[in-house]
Amino acid sequence: MKYEYQDNRICMFYVADRLSDILELKDGKKAHKELSIFYEEMIYNLGVNSLHNHNSD
């Protein structure tokens, strides 16, 4: 399988929208959970990009 180089840029509109949704939550535990999910999503995507970049060499 041919891999193409993946850059690690992100869409700031997406990030701002997700953070805005999290900030609107009134329940602190729910907001913390959603923030944790968003963090894991960012880490996962960075890992996938790194794996693709490693395999593209």
Side-chain angles (χ1 to χ4, degrees), residues 9-24:
R9 290 184 285 177
I10 59 172
C11 176
M12 293 304 292
F13 293 110
Y14 175 74
V15 171
D17 189 46
R18 285 291 301 270
L19 291 174
S20 176
D21 289 345
I22 293 169
L23 288 171
E24 288 178 2

Side-chain angles (χ1 to χ4, degrees), residues 18-19 22 32-46:
R18 285 291 301 270
L19 291 174
I22 293 169
H32 186 268
K33 181 179 179 183
E34 289 299 317
L35 189 57
S36 179
I37 289 170
F38 182 56
Y39 172 78
E40 293 296 326
E41 177 185 341
M42 296 290 104
I43 296 299
Y44 174 82
N45 287 330
L46 285 172

